Amino acid sequence: MTAQTTLVLGANAVIADVRCSVAFSSASPLRFGQQLGLLWLPLDANRQAVCSPAYLHEPKDWATIDDTNNPSKWQLNLLKLFEQQGVHFLQLIAYAYDEPSLNLPAVELSNVCLTLNDGALRYDFTARERHVKAAIILEIYQRNGQFKCRALGEASTQGLTSLEQRVQVSLDVRPPNTHARIQAAQQQQACPHNEMRPPRHVQAGETWTGTAFAIDPYHLLTCYHVIESAQMIGIRQQGQPDREAQVVLSDIGSDSAIIRVSDPLPSHIPLAQQCSDILGETITTLGFPLSGLSSQLQVTQGCISGLTGLNDDIRYLQFTAPIQPGSSGSPLLLPTGEVVGMVTASLVHEHAQNMNYAVKFQLLSALLASAGISLESISDSSSAMPLTTPQLSKQSRSALWLVGCQG
């Protein structure tokens, strides 16, 4: 029988088996999968997130869990992760689930016992302060052809917020039952960008509104579901004459449409050309929500909270800026004034706050190219220096239009 090596804080040890097992438990009354969570966070050489983490409620092919109902052991495929996905460090983070609807100030992380490879290595993490909400307790890395682990104890009383900013990834600390409720809501709710959604049935004379933004002197972008089944489309802006618009090209798959007017528009805003590391980036939306209450342009602010849409749909971004009916077609503006996405849908559920989605700028560019509209001929009005929200609003507002449709 192999002797067990017990690690102390800061100690390193070789992991002999690349198909590593990591069993976990807590001496506290709190249980993993109920009040406590665990996640594996893959990082690159600069300690930035490489891919999305593996959670107890969302394991990966490189990190599987023995029992999602009563989890107690991970199985890791280190070769698959490190050699195929460019990972340099893999951190194990323990945390208390965040459930804002529950008043549970006593839920905190106190201790975690880890045993690797069926007891070959052991590490007992104990929080050295009270009210700890999260802690990085283990790190696996590769050196000189060997996999090694390091015992850590970087604790936080603020949860994972500071860590998110450091590694540029959005971390999900909600309990598994919240995910189950959200998934049930997703299945019941028809989203505008669902290709299987039945066509809109409207009565003659029925009217509705949305938002559009100009991308050159004659063309505007809006959502497919805004102009769907419309017999007449008009655009309106304060201080400008109303204009009738015609559909140039629409795509239900990306919920996008190009509309055209005959008279030149006063201004337009540029689409982003190349963007990287935009997770967590501040964005501003401008649009005409709830136009029955007010026809004034509305401005909201938030951040890019995810790089995919529902069910990891790569066509969409997730963002946190508040939106309402009528916001569909609003641009998501970076601080430079560039459009990084177009508002398309929102998940409405009591346990899902600010889960809003936008069509990525790459799909919008592809739609314009399909219509023969060249972005190279459009002057770039983006700013090299980041703009404040009032500056963005002032610079962009004349390119925003209220879209009115009649069936």
Side-chain angles (χ1 to χ4, degrees):
M1 182 176 178
T2 305
Q4 184 180 77
T5 299
T6 300
L7 300 176
V8 296
L9 183 64
N12 299 266
V14 173
I15 299 176
D17 191 350
V18 295
R19 290 191 172 272
C20 178
S21 66
V22 182
F24 53 90
S25 62
S26 176
S28 72
L30 306 180
R31 298 182 62 182
F32 283 102
Q34 294 185 9
Q35 298 91 6
L36 302 177
L38 280 176
L39 65 87
W40 290 100
L41 180 60
L43 304 173
D44 61 16
N46 297 317
R47 296 189 179 273
Q48 300 287 298
V50 174
C51 55
S52 60
Y55 301 89
L56 294 179
H57 66 269
E58 187 181 309
K60 305 290 186 181
D61 57 353
W62 48 267
T64 57
I65 197 75
D66 58 347
D67 183 357
T68 54
N69 295 319
N70 187 25
S72 63
K73 182 185 289 188
W74 290 95
Q75 295 289 340
L76 303 178
N77 187 335
L78 298 180
L79 283 177
K80 183 179 184 67
L81 186 62
F82 279 74
E83 297 185 5
Q84 296 181 16
Q85 300 197 37
V87 172
H88 284 74
F89 303 96
L90 179 62
Q91 291 184 340
L92 179 61
I93 303 171
Y95 58 96
Y97 285 133
D98 179 26
E99 179 57 272
S101 63
L102 299 178
N103 184 20
L104 295 174
V107 175
E108 56 189 69
L109 184 66
S110 57
N111 58 80
V112 182
C113 175
L114 301 177
T115 54
L116 282 69
N117 288 345
D118 299 322
L121 299 171
R122 178 186 176 97
Y123 173 49
D124 291 298
F125 163 80
T126 301
R128 298 184 176 184
E129 54 186 311
R130 297 194 60 189
H131 310 303
V132 169
K133 295 295 184 181
I136 304 173
I137 58 176
L138 191 74
E139 182 174 80
I140 296 176
Y141 59 98
Q142 194 174 23
R143 184 168 298 170
N144 299 326
Q146 290 183 312
F147 286 103
K148 297 184 177 182
C149 66
R150 179 182 296 113
L152 301 177
E154 184 179 335
S156 170
T157 59
Q158 303 299 316
L160 298 176
T161 304
S162 59
L163 180 63
E164 287 181 317
Q165 298 173 351
R166 188 197 318 164
V167 301
Q168 293 292 291
V169 70
S170 179
L171 300 176
D172 190 345
V173 295
R174 295 170 297 182
N177 59 348
T178 297
H179 292 273
R181 291 194 293 265
I182 291 174
Q183 289 170 3
Q186 291 173 353
Q187 293 171 359
Q188 294 174 3
Q189 177 163 326
C191 290
H193 56 249
N194 185 350
E195 291 90 332
M196 302 306 294
R197 178 175 56 86
R200 183 203 299 268
H201 294 289
V202 300
Q203 297 180 350
E206 180 180 344
T207 61
W208 63 93
T209 64
T211 300
F213 60 95
I215 46 82
D216 75 5
Y218 293 95
H219 296 93
L220 305 96
L221 283 169
T222 188
C223 289
Y224 171 87
H225 77 266
V226 170
I227 53 87
E228 180 188 8
S229 301
Q231 297 301 311
M232 183 178 295
I233 304 171
I235 62 172
R236 172 174 293 180
Q237 184 185 104
Q238 191 171 21
Q240 290 284 332
D242 293 353
R243 305 162 190 247
E244 187 174 347
Q246 304 295 327
V247 177
V248 175
L249 186 66
S250 62
D251 176 38
I252 189 174
S254 62
D255 192 28
S256 306
I258 305 170
I259 58 177
R260 177 183 171 87
V261 293
S262 56
D263 295 324
L265 299 166
S267 71
H268 57 272
I269 46 181
L271 286 183
Q273 298 301 305
Q274 291 183 341
C275 289
S276 60
D277 297 329
I278 59 173
L279 188 65
E281 180 66 78
T282 298
I283 53 94
T284 301
T285 67
L286 297 89
F288 297 91
L290 303 174
S291 61
L293 302 178
S294 172
S295 60
Q296 297 296 309
L297 184 68
Q298 304 290 314
V299 180
T300 61
Q301 196 171 40
C303 71
I304 295 174
S305 55
L307 299 180
T308 58
L310 291 174
N311 301 315
D312 294 327
D313 194 325
I314 61 173
R315 295 172 294 181
Y316 304 97
L317 295 170
Q318 184 175 325
F319 65 96
T320 63
I323 60 173
Q324 303 291 340
S327 295
S328 294
S330 299
L332 263 59
L333 298 176
L334 295 172
T336 56
E338 298 172 293
V339 178
V340 74
M342 179 176 70
V343 174
T344 178
S346 179
L347 178 62
V348 180
H349 190 266
E350 61 177 326
H351 299 290
Q353 296 182 354
N354 289 333
M355 293 185 69
N356 308 316
Y357 302 96
V359 186
K360 289 181 178 177
F361 71 91
Q362 293 95 331
L363 270 75
L364 300 176
S365 297
L367 187 70
L368 293 171
S370 298
I373 300 172
S374 174
L375 293 178
E376 294 180 358
S377 62
I378 302 173
S379 60
D380 187 358
S381 58
S382 61
S383 170
M385 296 295 294
L387 302 175
T388 65
T389 302
Q391 289 172 332
L392 273 177
S393 174
K394 184 177 181 180
Q395 175 178 287
S396 307
R397 67 181 64 175
S398 58
L400 272 292
W401 293 79
L402 173 67
V403 180
C405 298
Q406 182 174 329

